[in-house]
Amino acid sequence: AQSVAQPEDQVNVAEGNPLTVKCTYSVSGNPYLFWYVQYPNRGLQFLLKYITGDNLVKGSYGFEAEFNKSQTSFHLKKPSALVSDSALYFCAVRDMGRRGNAGNMLTFGGGTRLMVKP
Amino acid sequence: DAMVIQNPRYQVTQFGKPVTLSCSQTLNHNVMYWYQQKSSQAPKLLFHYYDKDFNNEADTPDNFQSRRPNTSFCFLDIRSPGLGDAAMYLCATSPDRAPYYEQYFGPGTRLTVT
């Protein structure tokens, strides 16, 4: 069975400093990986995805993520954090094990709360 | 702008009183999903529609039902809400064609059960 782990419940960073939110995965075959952000009382917003190609993926709001196959990781990064980046971040992997009309099922990590302080 | 819309944003219902949450989309995606999310945990998939085909997750309680009368609309019915059903309910959509595998989420409906 596939799984996604976000080892940190919370990440604290000062505004202007680089940030990293960690994600590791376990799947059989090639993974399709995603990052979502959730602001308070809102739905999840898609940030970026890795399907194939360049290991460094650029997404919305200046975020990027690096796919590392040997370490089975897909860490989210941003060179300079903003207070407005404070939110809940979810890593997800597409479910490759379903049959039939399975759509695009996702397995989510447990989430990491990012706190950016002025 | 194309989007996923959920109504209402906040819903209060009484213990045992049926409630319906609605979701509509202008993205023309053929797959629609309903998730339950409690207190900043990961969203939990309840069921999804692939076109008109309904797919229930094995651990979704019978108390939860869904309807999709057309491509654009999907409803979540909770027949007899319990206190444990208080949560954020998220609707999402996706196309089913490569490489557009990401899901697009609505803003959610926060359900309170009194």
Side-chain angles (χ1 to χ4, degrees):
Chain A
Q2 60 188 52
S3 63
V4 177
Q6 293 180 243
E8 301 154 316
D9 289 337
Q10 182 161 316
V11 169
N12 298 309
V13 64
E15 188 174 32
N17 283 1
L19 70 87
T20 299
V21 183
K22 295 180 180 177
C23 172
T24 59
Y25 65 88
S26 173
V27 301
S28 53
N30 295 321
Y32 296 167
L33 296 157
F34 306 84
W35 275 103
Y36 287 85
V37 60
Q38 186 176 30
Y39 297 99
N41 286 313
R42 303 300 299 272
L44 278 65
Q45 281 181 241
F46 169 70
L47 279 178
L48 50 79
K49 66 183 176 185
Y50 172 82
I51 305 298
T52 187
D54 195 348
N55 288 345
L56 185 64
V57 179
K58 293 189 183 296
S60 306
Y61 312 122
F63 284 93
E64 57 189 28
E66 187 169 9
F67 172 66
N68 188 316
K69 188 171 184 177
S70 62
Q71 297 186 5
T72 62
S73 67
F74 189 55
H75 301 333
L76 182 70
K77 301 181 180 184
K78 188 173 182 181
S80 179
L82 300 172
V83 172
S84 57
D85 293 329
S86 299
L88 189 57
Y89 290 81
F90 289 100
C91 181
V93 63
R94 184 174 186 239
D95 189 341
M96 307 299 276
R98 301 221 184 191
R99 298 287 183 263
N101 290 336
N104 294 315
M105 300 304 118
L106 297 176
T107 298
F108 286 94
T112 298
R113 186 166 299 282
L114 174 66
M115 300 287 290
V116 182
K117 298 189 176 177
Chain B
D1 288 339
M3 57 176 53
V4 182
I5 302 161
Q6 291 189 244
N7 285 306
R9 293 292 314 280
Y10 300 90
Q11 175 74 58
V12 180
T13 191
Q14 293 177 337
F15 182 94
K17 185 175 181 180
V19 65
T20 295
L21 311 181
S22 72
C23 176
S24 63
Q25 55 136 339
T26 61
L27 298 162
N28 204 32
H29 289 167
N30 60 323
V31 193
M32 295 187 77
Y33 313 79
W34 277 105
Y35 290 89
Q36 180 191 65
Q37 185 182 30
K38 293 186 176 183
S39 56
S40 300
Q41 297 175 17
K44 177 181 182 300
L45 182 66
L46 296 172
F47 24 62
H48 76 279
Y49 274 94
Y50 190 107
D51 295 322
K52 287 186 176 288
D53 293 334
F54 176 72
N55 298 271
N56 202 31
E57 293 300 293
D59 57 354
T60 298
D62 292 341
N63 197 26
F64 291 87
Q65 304 287 320
S66 185
R67 296 169 283 135
R68 189 180 186 185
N70 54 51
T71 300
S72 301
F73 285 87
C74 197
F75 300 97
L76 171 62
D77 301 309
I78 308 176
R79 295 192 296 188
S80 182
L83 297 178
D85 297 327
M88 175 77 93
Y89 289 88
L90 298 168
C91 174
T93 73
S94 71
D96 188 31
R97 63 181 188 277
Y100 305 104
Y101 298 115
E102 60 270 26
Q103 294 183 17
Y104 295 83
F105 285 80
T109 295
R110 183 165 295 282
L111 179 67
T112 301
V113 181
T114 60

